[in-house]
C-alpha cells in the first residue's frame, strides 16, 4: 500500500495526494489490478469477496479529470451508501446517476446494518440480509459493502480506494451532525445526484399505514391468519364481513355492466331493424306507386281490359250510308184483323165465321 506523507492529508484526515518519490517509484514498478465493472450475468459480489487488493497508488482525481476518462488504466471508484429499505425506483435512479457520472466507473454501494439503522433512523421493514440481496440484483451496482459505516472515515475511504462519494445534495443531519457528508464535500470528493420526487420508503410506509384496513383484508383474503397479521378476533370478523360485502358489490357491478352491454346490443339491433324496416317500407311504397299510381302499370292494364270488355259487350254498328231495304209499292200492308168479334157488330148468321175466312182468301187471290 502507498505510504501517505503528512502533507498528503486534509484537515479532516482524508488523503489528498501521495509523496512524489513514492508515486514515481510505484508507477514504474506496479500496475493497477482494480476490479473492473461487472457483467450482468451474475449478481454483484460482496466487498469481502473481491475487496480491492491493488497495490498501485491511487492518485487523487478531480471531477474534471474523471469526466475526461482519466486515469485510463483503471475505473473511477464511486461510492454510494444508504439504507435501501423497500428498494424502489428512487433508489435505482440514484444508483443509475452514480454509475453514469463518469465514462468508466466502478460503483460500490454501502448498506448499513440493522443495528445502525435502528439506532440512528428507525425500524426497517426489510432486514439487512434482504436489503443486501436487493442491492446485489441491481444492474448498476458493481460491488456491495455490508455493514457500512454511518459516517465515512478516512480509513474506510482508503481501504476501499474510493475516489468519489455520490449522494443527493440535501444536507443529511444525523448522529449529532448537521451534515454527515460535510467533510467529504470539503475534500472535493462529493458528487451530487438528484432525488426522485414522489417516491420514498417513508411514502410507501405511509400508504400502508393509511390504508391499513384495506391491506389487512387483502392478506386475510389471500390466506393469512389473523394471528400472523396481529389482528384481533373482532377485527378479523369485521374484515371478513367487509370482504363478503365487497364481493357482493362486485357481483352487482358485474351484473350492471352486463345488463348495460345487453341493453346496448339490443339498442344496436333495434336500430338496425328500424333501418331495415325503413328501407323495406320505402321499397314497398315505391313498388306500390309503380303499380297503382297515376301512371302505374296497373292503371294501363285496367284500361286495356275495360276497353276489351266494352268491345266484347257492344258490337260495332253498321255504317250510316249503307243501303236500306225499300218496300215494294205493289204490296200493300197486310190488313189488320181481330180474332175476336167486336161487341157492336152482331152476328148476322151462324155461318159468319166461315164466310169471313172465305172473304179473306178471296182478297188474297185478288192481290195476286
Amino acid at each position: 500500500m502507498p505510504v501517505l506523507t503528512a502533507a498528503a492529508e486534509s484537515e479532516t484526515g482524508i488523503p489528498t495526494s501521495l509523496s512524489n518519490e513514492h508515486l514515481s517509484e510505484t508507477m514504474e514498478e506496479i500496475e493497477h489490478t482494480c476490479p473492473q465493472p461487472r457483467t450482468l450475468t451474475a449478481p454483484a459480489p460482496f466487498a469481502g469477496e473481491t475487496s480491492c487488493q491493488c497495490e498501485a497508488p491511487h492518485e487523487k482525481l478531480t471531477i474534471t479529470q474523471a469526466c475526461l476518462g482519466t486515469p485510463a488504466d483503471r475505473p473511477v471508484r464511486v461510492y454510494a451508501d444508504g439504507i435501501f429499505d423497500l428498494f424502489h425506483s428512487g433508489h435505482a435512479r440514484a444508483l443509475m446517476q452514480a454509475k453514469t457520472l463518469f465514462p468508466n466507473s466502478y460503483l460500490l454501494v454501502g448498506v448499513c446494518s440493522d443495528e445502525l439503522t435502528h439506532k440512528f433512523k428507525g425500524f426497517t421493514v426489510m432486514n439487512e440480509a434482504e436489503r443486501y440481496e436487493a442491492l446485489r440484483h441491481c444492474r448498476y451496482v458493481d460491488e456491495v459493502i455490508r455493514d457500512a459505516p454511518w459516517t465515512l472515515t478516512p480509513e474506510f475511504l482508503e481501504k476501499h480506494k474510493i475516489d468519489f462519494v455520490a449522494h443527493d445534495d440535501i444536507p443529511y443531519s444525523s448522529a449529532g451532525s448537521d451534515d454527515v457528508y460535510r467533510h467529504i464535500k470539503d475534500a472535493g470528493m462529493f458528487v451530487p445526484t438528484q432525488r426522485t420526487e414522489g417516491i420514498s420508503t417513508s411514502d410507501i410506509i405511509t400508504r400502508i399505514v393509511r390504508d391499513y384496513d384495506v391491506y389487512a383484508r387483502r392478506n386475510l383474503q389471500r390466506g393469512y391468519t389473523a394471528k400472523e397479521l396481529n389482528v384481533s378476533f373482532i377485527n378479523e370478523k369485521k374484515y371478513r364481513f367487509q370482504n363478503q360485502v365487497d364481493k357482493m358489490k362486485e357481483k352487482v357491478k358485474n351484473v350492471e355492466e352486463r345488463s348495460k352491454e345487453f341493453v346496448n346490443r339490443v339498442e344496436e339491433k333495434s336500430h338496425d331493424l328500424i333501418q331495415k324496416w325503413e328501407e323495406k317500407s320505402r321499397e314497398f311504397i315505391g313498388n306500390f306507386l309503380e303499380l297503382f299510381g297515376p301512371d302505374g302499370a296497373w292503371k294501363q292494364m285496367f284500361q286495356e281490359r275495360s276497353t276489351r270488355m266494352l268491345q266484347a259487350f257492344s258490337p260495332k254498328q253498321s255504317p250510316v250510308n249503307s243501303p236500306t231495304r225499300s218496300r215494294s209499292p205493289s204490296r200493300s200492308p197486310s190488313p189488320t184483323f181481330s180474332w175476336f168479334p167486336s161487341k157492336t157488330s152482331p152476328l148476322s148468321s151462324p155461318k159468319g165465321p166461315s164466310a169471313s175466312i172465305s172473304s179473306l182468301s178471296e182478297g188474297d187471290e185478288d192481290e195476286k
Side-chain angles (χ1 to χ4, degrees):
M1 295 294 293
V3 179
L4 296 177
T5 62
E9 294 185 0
S10 65
E11 295 180 357
T12 57
I14 298 175
T16 57
S17 62
L18 298 172
S19 62
N20 293 332
E21 295 180 358
H22 191 84
L23 177 62
S24 59
E25 293 176 1
T26 309
M27 291 295 293
E28 293 176 356
E29 297 176 359
I30 303 175
E31 294 182 355
H32 283 285
T33 58
C34 297
Q36 297 298 318
R38 73 181 180 96
T39 60
L40 297 180
T41 57
F46 290 118
E49 301 172 3
T50 58
S51 180
C52 183
Q53 301 295 332
C54 178
E55 297 183 0
H58 280 238
E59 65 278 10
K60 179 176 174 60
L61 299 175
T62 64
I63 295 177
T64 303
Q65 290 174 334
C67 290
L68 294 175
T70 55
D73 55 348
R74 70 171 180 87
V76 178
R77 294 175 68 84
V78 180
Y79 176 80
D81 59 356
I83 309 302
F84 302 105
D85 190 22
L86 298 176
F87 189 83
H88 52 75
S89 61
H91 295 144
R93 187 170 181 270
L95 297 177
M96 178 190 70
Q97 295 178 64
K99 176 67 176 178
T100 57
L101 285 171
F102 309 112
N104 183 22
S105 60
Y106 185 87
L107 181 59
L108 301 95
V109 179
V111 184
C112 299
S113 64
D114 288 343
E115 182 181 358
L116 281 177
T117 304
H118 298 166
K119 179 180 179 181
F120 293 110
K121 192 168 184 178
F123 193 75
T124 58
V125 177
M126 302 168 64
N127 58 42
E128 58 184 31
E130 294 169 337
R131 293 185 283 117
Y132 296 155
E133 286 298 319
L135 266 297
R136 290 188 67 199
H137 293 82
C138 178
R139 61 177 299 179
Y140 308 111
V141 179
D142 294 307
E143 187 176 324
V144 176
I145 301 176
R146 295 173 288 189
D147 194 13
W150 197 261
T151 302
L152 300 179
T153 61
E155 292 78 15
F156 181 83
L157 296 174
E158 176 61 25
K159 175 183 177 182
H160 297 283
K161 296 181 172 56
I162 295 170
D163 294 311
F164 298 100
V165 177
H167 200 272
D168 61 81
D169 202 15
I170 301 173
Y172 194 86
S173 58
S174 180
S177 174
D178 294 336
D179 188 1
V180 295
Y181 297 102
R182 172 60 61 186
H183 62 293
I184 304 295
K185 295 176 181 177
D186 294 338
M189 297 176 61
F190 186 84
V191 184
T193 58
Q194 297 295 324
R195 289 180 63 90
T196 302
E197 298 297 332
I199 183 69
S200 68
T201 302
S202 298
D203 291 339
I204 296 174
I205 294 175
T206 300
R207 297 178 203 172
I208 297 172
V209 173
R210 181 187 59 200
D211 300 326
Y212 169 77
D213 289 352
V214 175
Y215 294 111
R217 288 164 52 192
R218 171 188 179 273
N219 281 10
L220 281 173
Q221 196 172 5
R222 286 178 172 268
Y224 287 87
T225 63
K227 185 177 180 180
E228 290 173 331
L229 297 174
N230 195 23
V231 173
S232 65
F233 176 80
I234 296 175
N235 285 336
E236 179 189 4
K237 297 304 178 183
K238 181 183 74 173
Y239 294 149
R240 293 193 184 278
F241 176 74
Q242 289 175 345
N243 286 335
Q244 294 297 327
V245 172
D246 289 343
K247 287 181 180 179
M248 291 298 298
K249 288 181 179 179
E250 189 68 23
K251 289 181 180 180
V252 171
K253 185 179 179 181
N254 292 335
V255 171
E256 288 180 353
E257 291 178 354
R258 290 178 182 176
S259 61
K260 287 180 181 178
E261 292 178 358
F262 176 75
V263 170
N264 292 332
R265 282 184 290 179
V266 170
E267 287 180 353
E268 291 177 357
K269 289 184 178 180
S270 62
H271 185 68
D272 294 339
L273 289 174
I274 289 172
Q275 286 183 342
K276 291 180 180 179
W277 182 82
E278 288 178 352
E279 293 175 358
K280 292 293 183 182
S281 62
R282 291 193 192 99
E283 183 179 356
F284 176 78
I285 292 171
N287 294 335
F288 183 83
L289 291 176
E290 287 180 1
L291 288 174
F292 302 102
D295 298 328
W298 178 261
K299 182 179 179 182
Q300 297 176 0
M301 182 176 63
F302 180 76
Q303 289 177 350
E304 291 177 359
R305 291 187 177 183
S306 61
T307 303
R308 291 177 184 175
M309 292 177 65
L310 289 174
Q311 290 177 357
F313 285 109
S314 59
K316 295 181 180 180
Q317 298 179 0
S318 59
V320 179
N321 55 358
S322 60
T324 57
R325 290 182 62 185
S326 60
R327 290 185 180 181
S328 173
S330 61
R331 291 182 67 94
S332 59
S334 57
T336 60
F337 57 92
S338 173
W339 292 95
F340 300 96
S342 61
K343 295 181 180 180
T344 56
S345 59
L347 296 175
S348 58
S349 63
K351 295 181 181 179
S354 59
S356 61
I357 292 173
S358 62
S359 62
L360 286 173
S361 59
E362 288 177 359
D364 292 335
E365 291 177 357
D366 290 340
E367 288 180 0
K368 293 180 181 178

